[in-house]
Amino acid sequence: MKYIIAAIKPFKLEEVREALTSIGVRGMMVTEIKGFGAQSGHTEIYRGAEYAVNFVPKLKLEIGVSDAMADQVVETLQKTAKTDKIGDGKIFVLDLASATRVRTGEAGDDAL
C-alpha cells in the first residue's frame, strides 16, 4: 500500500476530486495548509500599505491506495492539479505499513 500526500492550489480541489473518483479512489482527507517553496510567497496591498505574505494557502490531500493504483493516482493528480504556473504544488509517495477500517476491523487493502 502507498500513502500519497499532495499539496495543491485550493481552486483545483473539485476537479482533482472528480478525476480521482473516476479512476476508483474511494476516499481522501483534505486539510487547509499554508506553505512556501520556490514561490516564496508574494506581496499584497491592504488599505494602501504593502506587506509580504510569506506563506501561500494550499490544500493537503492524503490518500491511501493499493500499490497497483499508486502510479495512476500520481499521474492523475499531476495532470489535474497542474496550472503551468509556479506554486502548483508537490506530490509525495510513501510506503504505508498498515491500514484498518475502524467500523469493521478490515485491514490492509480491504480497509482502503
Side-chain angles (χ1 to χ4, degrees):
M1 295 178 295
K2 300 292 183 189
Y3 188 60
I4 299 172
I5 302 169
I8 66 168
K9 291 184 175 183
F11 69 88
K12 287 298 226 169
L13 178 62
E14 193 56 32
E15 183 181 348
V16 167
R17 188 198 61 77
E18 288 174 6
L20 291 173
T21 301
S22 73
I23 64 166
V25 172
R26 297 185 339 195
M28 69 177 162
M29 294 177 280
V30 179
T31 310
E32 292 180 6
I33 61 170
K34 293 181 181 183
F36 72 93
Q39 194 173 6
S40 298
H42 59 282
T43 59
E44 289 185 3
I45 297 176
Y46 179 70
R47 294 188 177 183
E50 187 173 307
Y51 65 98
V53 178
N54 295 320
F55 292 96
V56 180
K58 302 278 185 201
L59 293 178
K60 179 171 77 169
L61 311 181
E62 298 173 80
I63 309 162
V65 297
S66 66
D67 288 332
M69 279 192 73
D71 289 339
Q72 186 180 14
V73 169
V74 169
E75 184 180 315
T76 301
L77 280 165
Q78 197 275 325
K79 270 196 299 192
T80 54
K82 183 178 180 177
T83 66
D84 287 323
K85 293 188 172 68
I86 194 165
D88 276 351
K90 293 276 191 292
I91 302 169
F92 303 101
V93 180
L94 295 82
D95 287 326
L96 182 58
S98 70
T100 304
R101 186 182 311 268
V102 173
R103 180 177 53 86
T104 63
E106 294 170 289
D109 283 348
D110 292 336
L112 301 176

